[in-house]
Amino acid sequence: MDKNEEKQREEEREQVVSPWEVSSSGKIDYDKLIDKFGCQRLDQSLVDRVQRLTGRPPHVFLRRGVFFAHRDLNDILDAYEKGEKFYLYTGRGPSSEALHLGHLVPFMFTKYLQDAFKVPLVIQLTDDEKCMWKNLSVEESQRLARENAKDIIACGFDVTKTFIFSDFDYVGGHILSYIFYLVLVLPKIMRKFPLQCLLQEHGEGCEVVGIFGFTGEDHIGKVSFPPVQAVPSFPSSFPHLFSGKDHLRCLIPCAIDQDPYFRMTRDVAPRIGYHKPALIESSFFPALQGETGKMSASDPNSAIYVTDSAKAIKNKINKYAFSGGQESVELHRKLGANLEEYGAGGMLTGEVKQRLAKVLTELVERHQVARAAVTDEMVDAFMAVRPLPNMFD
């Protein structure tokens, strides 16, 4: 192994970004992720084009580069400019009772996209995945899916343009045929995704490698999940919505750690007669402790939850939030902090934390009011398998 290869492997060990783990010995290097994943930087010309086509100011997440990368967004915008519509697809893995602010980011942005482009949206709740990965019972996974659906609905989605579905409830019949296709055909047509072990419960004697990094110790349910997340990007997975619209393009707003699922999907899509799904990808909402990871439901002290009280938010920020301040007031005034927001030293750590607590408390309390208004009947309406006759109006 030469020095360059050794250096590259060391850097990969220092920064891990996958659908199941996000960690780094320092700040997440998003330029390296773009190079590693092969996506493109979302530049100002695309932000300006979105504004021109929609007639709306770009969302703050676009203006500030929170959504910073994409795959084939130009193709979506080209088609839209010619009068062709598309649909949005995003999702949530319901592993906890409530969402934290990191979970809200893609839904807040997706709400903007739905309103700006006037297009339908499908939202996948992967209760089957969490049942396998988090060792939850089927019943508990389904309960959490409905609870999470209430938080998603509280973001303000249009019920006449939105279909929310649980994998346990919806994945079967028509959609299952595409999953079987992906499971059975992928090994033959894509050597870098060797899923030939899917028919073995524990994959003994078989190494499943490639973008997902599965091993022979992974249960078949875990290994076979990627096609389940892939198929909603094919319009024929939703015959009650898109019957006869196999040409319809799909745009997926998601965090960049979900990219591996759709690299696989994009390789397969043309082989079964569909457009490659396009993606618009966000950076991570950092953990309170700093930018070496993301907010995580597995570490309550890393995150602000939408159920947190104003007191809890203030306490978490004061106790756990990384500030970047110097060791003393004198040094801070002299040297400033290592955060751009108050790098000149004009604000002290306590002042920044106080401002952050105020902003986040207002956001969470607005969400709590909206969430309290969501009833079980509203959840049923969003999750009903029904046509959406005005979905492109």
Side-chain angles (χ1 to χ4, degrees):
M1 181 188 303
D2 62 30
K3 289 184 178 181
N4 288 336
E5 290 177 338
E6 186 175 351
K7 181 180 179 181
Q8 182 178 354
R9 291 195 177 185
E10 180 62 29
E11 289 175 349
E12 289 176 353
R13 286 192 292 269
E14 291 176 355
Q15 176 169 294
V16 177
V17 174
S18 75
W20 310 283
E21 181 183 359
V22 175
S23 64
S24 177
S25 60
K27 187 176 179 179
I28 298 290
D29 189 329
Y30 290 104
D31 288 328
K32 285 184 180 178
L33 281 183
I34 287 176
D35 290 341
K36 179 181 178 180
F37 288 171
C39 46
Q40 296 82 43
R41 173 70 68 172
L42 203 162
D43 59 24
Q44 187 61 42
S45 66
L46 278 174
V47 176
D48 293 341
R49 191 177 182 200
V50 168
Q51 180 174 6
R52 178 173 61 81
L53 290 176
T54 64
R56 294 187 177 216
H59 193 279
V60 63
F61 292 164
L62 278 179
R63 297 200 311 270
R64 297 190 177 182
V66 175
F67 279 79
F68 72 100
H70 74 99
R71 290 182 183 273
D72 290 348
L73 180 59
N74 268 321
D75 290 350
I76 288 283
L77 298 180
D78 287 346
Y80 185 81
E81 194 162 20
K82 296 174 184 175
E84 298 176 21
K85 293 289 189 175
F86 60 92
Y87 73 99
L88 297 164
Y89 159 43
T90 193
R92 159 78 182 134
S95 60
S96 59
E97 189 82 24
L99 277 61
H100 59 59
L101 295 186
H103 295 141
L104 278 189
V105 167
F107 293 111
M108 294 167 67
F109 185 65
T110 300
K111 169 68 165 61
Y112 155 79
L113 291 175
Q114 184 182 58
D115 292 345
F117 287 98
K118 298 180 175 61
V119 291
L121 162 68
V122 296
I123 299 174
Q124 180 182 45
L125 300 175
T126 57
D127 45 5
D128 54 341
E129 177 205 19
K130 296 308 176 185
C131 180
M132 294 179 289
W133 284 80
K134 298 294 184 180
N135 294 319
L136 300 172
S137 68
V138 171
E139 293 76 16
E140 178 65 3
S141 297
Q142 291 177 309
R143 186 188 72 81
L144 291 176
R146 284 187 65 88
E147 290 302 309
N148 284 193
K150 292 178 181 178
D151 279 312
I152 293 168
I153 292 167
C155 292
F157 292 109
D158 184 347
V159 69
T160 68
K161 299 179 186 294
T162 306
F163 174 50
I164 301 175
F165 65 97
S166 147
D167 282 351
F168 274 133
D169 292 339
Y170 185 74
V171 176
H174 194 82
I175 196 170
L176 197 60
S177 66
Y178 290 99
I179 295 171
F180 282 150
Y181 181 91
L182 291 172
V183 167
L184 296 175
V185 177
L186 275 173
K188 300 176 183 177
I189 63 176
M190 293 190 301
R191 286 182 292 174
K192 63 179 177 179
F193 306 132
L195 304 181
Q196 62 266 30
C197 303
L198 288 174
L199 301 181
Q200 301 179 17
E201 182 172 359
H202 299 290
E204 295 176 357
C206 173
E207 183 181 3
V208 181
V209 291
I211 59 173
F212 294 104
F214 292 123
T215 71
E217 297 178 357
D218 286 305
H219 188 277
I220 185 174
K222 296 179 181 180
V223 182
S224 61
F225 179 74
V228 179
Q229 185 158 323
V231 291
S233 58
F234 303 147
S236 292
S237 297
F238 306 99
H240 63 288
L241 299 178
F242 307 132
S243 179
K245 294 183 172 65
D246 289 357
H247 65 284
L248 197 63
R249 295 178 184 270
C250 177
L251 174 62
I252 304 169
C254 62
I256 197 167
D257 60 341
Q258 299 301 299
D259 188 89
Y261 285 112
F262 302 110
R263 295 209 304 276
M264 173 195 76
T265 313
R266 285 167 55 83
D267 278 351
V268 174
R271 300 175 185 270
I272 55 177
Y274 295 99
H275 290 297
K276 293 181 178 182
L279 285 82
I280 184 166
E281 301 176 314
S282 73
S283 55
F284 304 117
F285 201 107
L288 290 175
Q289 290 79 1
E291 294 184 282
T292 59
K294 65 176 182 176
M295 283 194 177
S296 172
S298 61
D299 181 4
N301 294 327
S302 74
I304 302 296
Y305 283 85
V306 295
T307 52
D308 283 346
S309 65
K311 181 179 179 181
I313 293 171
K314 180 179 178 180
N315 288 342
K316 283 184 178 181
I317 289 173
N318 286 338
K319 186 174 182 179
Y320 299 109
F322 174 75
S323 65
Q326 299 294 339
E327 294 179 0
S328 68
V329 172
E330 290 76 16
L331 283 175
H332 186 86
R333 293 293 190 195
K334 180 180 178 180
L335 302 175
N338 67 351
L339 296 182
E340 293 178 1
E341 287 81 358
Y342 67 129
M347 294 181 71
L348 297 177
T349 296
E351 294 172 317
V352 172
K353 288 188 173 184
Q354 184 179 18
R355 176 65 187 277
L356 176 62
K358 181 178 185 295
V359 170
L360 294 187
T361 297
E362 291 174 353
L363 172 63
V364 168
E365 288 180 346
R366 284 197 304 270
H367 182 85
Q368 289 172 350
V369 170
R371 170 65 154 77
V374 178
T375 65
D376 286 330
E377 290 74 20
M378 290 172 66
V379 176
D380 291 339
F382 273 91
M383 300 185 75
V385 179
R386 81 285 185 199
L388 300 176
N390 299 318
M391 60 186 173
F392 291 115
D393 293 344

